[in-house]
């Protein structure tokens, strides 16, 4: 039985297969609309979510399956003190596959140890978010036709942003990908990523707080929200939250064919005036997330 806890649980070949399957579902969704008849997906969300939970649910419904679950810790027995281990033991007999989001790093990995069904990490604290990475990859692959030979700028909260951590961890596995990591000093990527992934992997990267300076070099600009819920004090959040705001003035420095991605939700970091720029693909990205999650569910259920 397979789980998806960290992006490295999937080999590059498996990633390619999932992305191809996602693209073929995108072209012909009807063909897949009954494959999961009679199957159930449980969504166990201990933290807020719009896209991830609903796109997982839409994915299973599109495949002909059914969904059950909870959307906050308060509405589950976690509020009574139940452990993740006990919860998953029970859910294992109610569903065929589950997606879990939890504020504690490692919670989905613990669940996988006690689970009789595949567990998908739908975000664990400030750690990983592998299915957002699948969403990012299918977007890049579909729009640019490749996942190698590019310069990708990541901007915003690189410290707490789990989507950033998973995307870096994955993109380093493709050839000639260069990273420009743009953040305030306080929100730089965690040391383990810098040392164990970028340095040890001999990856070309720059850490900077200057978006405009590097903008002309970027093929992709991956904007992120400052992760309010992970801050220890509100003052720091308020001081840092508007460090980078992408607007039409800054976009003047960008390549004509650069794409702007964002895992969403957006708060202030992309001005609404950018939404009509053809390079802004974050809403399309959220749409692609359904197809790639359909492909992932099929893969983990061995179809
Ligand atoms: C992201 C997350 O939950 O980490 N959202 C998402 O799943 N699309 C990004 C964020 O919350 O900023």
């Amino acid at each position: 039985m397979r789980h998806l806890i960290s992006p490295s649980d999937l080999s590059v070949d498996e990633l390619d297969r999932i992305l191809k399957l996602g693209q073929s579902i995108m072209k012909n969704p009807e063909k897949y609309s009954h494959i999961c008849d009679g199957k159930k997906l449980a969504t166990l969300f201990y933290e807020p979510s719009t896209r991830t939970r609903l796109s997982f649910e839409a994915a299973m419904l599109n495949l002909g399956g059914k969904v059950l679950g909870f959307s906050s810790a308060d509405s589950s027995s976690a509020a009574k003190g139940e452990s993740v281990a006990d919860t998953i033991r029970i859910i294992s007999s109610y569903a065929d596959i589950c997606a879990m989001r939890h504020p504690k790093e490692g919670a989905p990995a613990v669940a996988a140890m006690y689970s009789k069904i595949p567990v998908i990490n739908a975000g664990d604290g400030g750690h990983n978010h592998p299915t957002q990475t699948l969403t990012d990859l299918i977007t890049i692959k579909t729009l640019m036709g490749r996942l190698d030979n590019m310069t990708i700028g990541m901007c915003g909260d690189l410290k707490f942003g789990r989507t950033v951590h998973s995307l870096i961890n994955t993109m380093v596995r493709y050839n000639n990908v260069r990273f420009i990591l743009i953040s305030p000093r306080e929100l730089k990527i965690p040391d383990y990523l810098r040392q164990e992934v970028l340095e040890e992997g001999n990856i070309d990267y720059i850490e900077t707080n200057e978006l405009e300076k590097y903008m002309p070099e970027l093929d992709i600009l991956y904007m992120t929200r400052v992760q309010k819920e992970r801050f220890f004090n509100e003052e720091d959040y308020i001081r840092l939250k508007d460090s980078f705001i992408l607007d039409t003035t800054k976009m003047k420095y960008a390549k004509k064919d650069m794409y702007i991605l964002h895992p969403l939700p957006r708060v202030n970091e992309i001005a609404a005036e950018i939404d009509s720029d053809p390079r802004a693909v974050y809403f399309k990205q959220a749409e692609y997330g359904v197809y790639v999650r359909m492909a992932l569910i099929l893969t983990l259920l061995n179809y």
Side-chain angles (χ1 to χ4, degrees):
M1 189 184 45
R2 296 287 302 272
H3 305 285
L4 176 60
I5 304 301
S6 139
S8 48
D9 292 341
L10 296 168
S11 68
V12 171
D13 276 355
E14 287 172 318
L15 282 170
D16 281 354
R17 253 179 281 140
I18 291 173
L19 300 181
K20 282 209 180 88
L21 180 56
Q23 288 176 321
S24 95
I25 295 171
M26 198 187 293
K27 285 197 197 99
N28 192 359
E30 264 307 302
K31 187 175 150 201
Y32 299 86
S33 61
H34 289 290
I35 300 195
C36 285
D37 280 355
K39 295 284 182 197
K40 280 173 281 181
L41 163 81
T43 49
L44 317 178
F45 276 59
Y46 297 82
E47 250 196 0
S49 169
T50 299
R51 269 151 297 272
T52 305
R53 186 172 64 85
L54 297 183
S55 66
F56 261 115
E57 298 194 354
M60 191 46 144
L61 295 171
N62 289 346
L63 292 166
K66 294 192 163 63
V67 298
L68 65 164
F70 53 83
S71 55
S72 76
D74 298 348
S75 65
S76 78
S77 280
K80 300 180 187 172
E82 186 171 55
S83 67
V84 161
D86 282 2
T87 303
I88 196 70
R89 280 189 176 103
I90 306 307
I91 304 295
S92 289
S93 60
Y94 295 170
D96 302 283
I97 184 165
C98 79
M100 174 183 283
R101 168 169 289 187
H102 202 286
K104 287 215 179 90
E105 287 81 4
V110 171
M113 287 164 54
Y114 294 91
S115 180
K116 295 202 281 291
I117 59 174
V119 175
I120 301 168
N121 178 4
D124 62 327
H127 190 216
N128 267 318
H129 193 345
T131 68
Q132 180 62 45
T133 300
L134 292 176
T135 301
D136 304 338
L137 295 189
I138 198 170
T139 306
I140 299 172
K141 178 93 190 181
T142 304
L143 298 174
M144 296 179 64
R146 65 178 199 277
L147 291 168
D148 50 9
N149 297 311
M150 66 177 74
T151 298
I152 170 161
M154 299 190 173
C155 178
D157 186 347
L158 311 186
K159 178 180 182 187
F160 297 117
R162 55 194 173 195
T163 65
V164 168
H165 306 159
S166 287
L167 187 57
I168 293 178
N169 247 312
T170 306
M171 291 296 286
V172 293
R173 294 150 81 191
Y174 295 91
N175 288 332
N176 192 26
V177 176
R178 191 171 158 247
F179 297 88
I180 311 289
L181 304 171
I182 308 147
S183 72
R185 193 173 32 83
E186 294 91 331
L187 299 178
K188 284 161 86 166
I189 56 165
D191 291 342
Y192 81 88
L193 261 182
R194 184 178 309 104
Q195 264 131 40
E196 292 162 32
V197 179
L198 297 174
E199 290 288 339
E200 281 179 26
N202 235 338
I203 306 294
D204 189 349
Y205 75 98
I206 289 169
E207 293 186 283
T208 177
N209 59 7
E210 295 176 277
L211 175 57
E212 283 98 326
K213 177 173 169 194
Y214 289 98
M215 191 75 117
E217 300 180 26
L218 307 181
D219 298 302
I220 295 207
L221 173 58
Y222 193 89
M223 292 296 295
T224 62
R225 165 182 78 91
V226 176
Q227 306 279 300
K228 182 178 185 193
E229 64 276 36
R230 314 261 179 249
F231 277 74
F232 293 111
N233 73 66
E234 204 178 347
E235 272 161 50
D236 286 347
Y237 170 71
I238 291 170
R239 185 166 52 80
L240 295 169
K241 72 183 173 65
D242 293 329
S243 301
F244 298 96
I245 299 177
L246 185 64
D247 54 18
T248 45
T249 313
K250 293 200 183 77
M251 281 302 288
K252 291 204 177 99
Y253 301 94
K255 286 186 186 172
K256 294 275 168 282
D257 58 352
M258 183 194 82
Y259 286 112
I260 309 161
L261 276 72
H262 190 310
L264 302 178
R266 151 184 59 184
V267 185
N268 237 351
E269 57 281 356
I270 302 182
E273 64 194 21
I274 300 293
D275 297 354
S276 54
D277 187 310
R279 292 168 288 187
V281 295
Y282 28 89
F283 296 124
K284 195 179 280 270
Q285 181 186 356
E287 198 182 307
Y288 289 163
V290 176
Y291 302 117
V292 85
R293 288 186 173 94
M294 289 169 76
L296 176 66
I297 291 170
L298 292 178
T299 304
L300 294 180
L301 290 179
N302 294 319
Y303 283 101

